[in-house]
Amino acid sequence: MPATATSDTRVRLIDAAADLIAAAPGEDFSLRAVCDAVGVKMPTLYHFFGSKQGLIDAVVERGFDLYLGEKTAMESSGDPIQDLRTGWDAHVAFGLANPGFYTLMYGKVRPGYSPAAQSRPSEILLSLTTRAADQGRLVVPPEQAAAHVLVTNIGVTLQQIILATADPELSAAVREGTIAAITGTGAQQRTPLAAAVEIAAAHPDVLGRAETQLLVAWLSKLGERTPETA
């Protein structure tokens, strides 16, 4: 069989499995149904994936490819905290639009196992929290901040998938609570400079992107030189 035909059959099997999963998120699916959809015999599926879990892993990989494709197409605001907000909203939107993929990517738990593809978006998230830490805007290590954002983002997304109802107000409230926790900018801890930085970063459209980046840099520098009390 030519290599192109082989590759095409593998992709079609992954797509068929993804379609079945999306049609009934969280439920089991039949390998026979996958084969019937593509018009191949069961040995062909086992040739490509080895087992049902092998096929599931391939679908998960495809899901992360789609997710990362959307994330890399997003334009950075230039501010890591604002980019965390944008990334949070994009994460929730992807989950609601692709519940079949998402429940496999983040909802299927096997103790001690983490899909290799899961590390890719985690690396993007860590790069943002590391930049924020370098700017002196975190009160926790960047690794802890990234983990905090990820687990709360997943929880909010899965909750909306389970209820089959989008809840943007809940998502925004949890998002801002999470950011306040990792930046120390909650109502009780917030200093005037920190408040100004976060307000500017959260609303880059008011001054313009370039002007907002410059203002944040100036205020952050000023905060390094003149420690404040709440």
Side-chain angles (χ1 to χ4, degrees), residues 15-45:
D15 288 343
D19 288 343
L20 288 171
I21 293 166
E27 297 182 13
D28 199 10
F29 66 97
S30 163
L31 292 183
R32 177 67 62 190
V34 173
C35 291
D36 289 346
V38 178
V40 300
K41 302 297 185 182
M42 195 73 75
T44 300
L45 185 147

Side-chain angles (χ1 to χ4, degrees), residues 102-109 154 158:
Y102 192 89
T103 52
L104 279 183
M105 292 161 63
Y106 290 111
K108 292 285 188 179
V109 178
I154 292 172
L158 287 174

Side-chain angles (χ1 to χ4, degrees), residues 51-54 56-57 106-115:
S51 65
K52 187 172 188 176
Q53 186 59 50
I56 290 173
D57 290 343
Y106 290 111
K108 292 285 188 179
V109 178
R110 293 188 330 191
Y113 172 76
S114 176

Side-chain angles (χ1 to χ4, degrees), residues 4-191:
T4 53
T6 298
S7 176
D8 180 64
T9 300
R10 184 179 187 278
V11 170
R12 289 168 58 210
L13 286 165
I14 293 173
D15 288 343
D19 288 343
L20 288 171
I21 293 166
E27 297 182 13
D28 199 10
F29 66 97
S30 163
L31 292 183
R32 177 67 62 190
V34 173
C35 291
D36 289 346
V38 178
V40 300
K41 302 297 185 182
M42 195 73 75
T44 300
L45 185 147
Y46 282 106
H47 167 73
F48 286 115
F49 306 106
S51 65
K52 187 172 188 176
Q53 186 59 50
L55 175 59
I56 290 173
D57 290 343
V59 175
V60 169
E61 183 81 21
R62 173 65 64 83
F64 277 110
D65 285 343
L66 291 172
Y67 175 53
L68 288 171
E70 293 183 5
K71 287 188 75 69
T72 54
M74 293 165 50
E75 187 176 355
S76 171
S77 70
D79 179 82
I81 300 300
Q82 181 59 21
D83 285 349
L84 285 176
R85 288 187 173 93
T86 304
W88 175 291
D89 293 343
H91 183 109
V92 173
F94 177 85
L96 293 177
N98 302 277
F101 278 123
Y102 192 89
T103 52
L104 279 183
M105 292 161 63
Y106 290 111
K108 292 285 188 179
V109 178
R110 293 188 330 191
Y113 172 76
S114 176
Q118 205 172 81
S119 65
R120 292 183 288 163
S122 296
E123 289 168 1
I124 295 174
L125 179 56
L126 180 58
S127 71
L128 290 176
T129 56
T130 298
R131 283 178 53 207
D134 290 343
Q135 295 177 3
R137 296 169 68 188
L138 297 185
V139 293
V140 297
E143 296 80 7
Q144 181 179 336
H148 193 152
V149 171
L150 181 61
V151 297
T152 49
N153 205 176
I154 292 172
V156 165
T157 306
L158 287 174
Q159 172 73 0
Q160 293 178 77
I161 290 173
I162 291 169
L163 297 178
T165 304
D167 191 341
E169 292 185 1
L170 171 66
S171 181
V174 177
R175 181 194 67 208
E176 292 309 307
T178 300
I179 289 175
I182 66 174
T183 59
T185 55
Q188 300 303 315
Q189 310 104 316
R190 182 174 298 184
T191 65

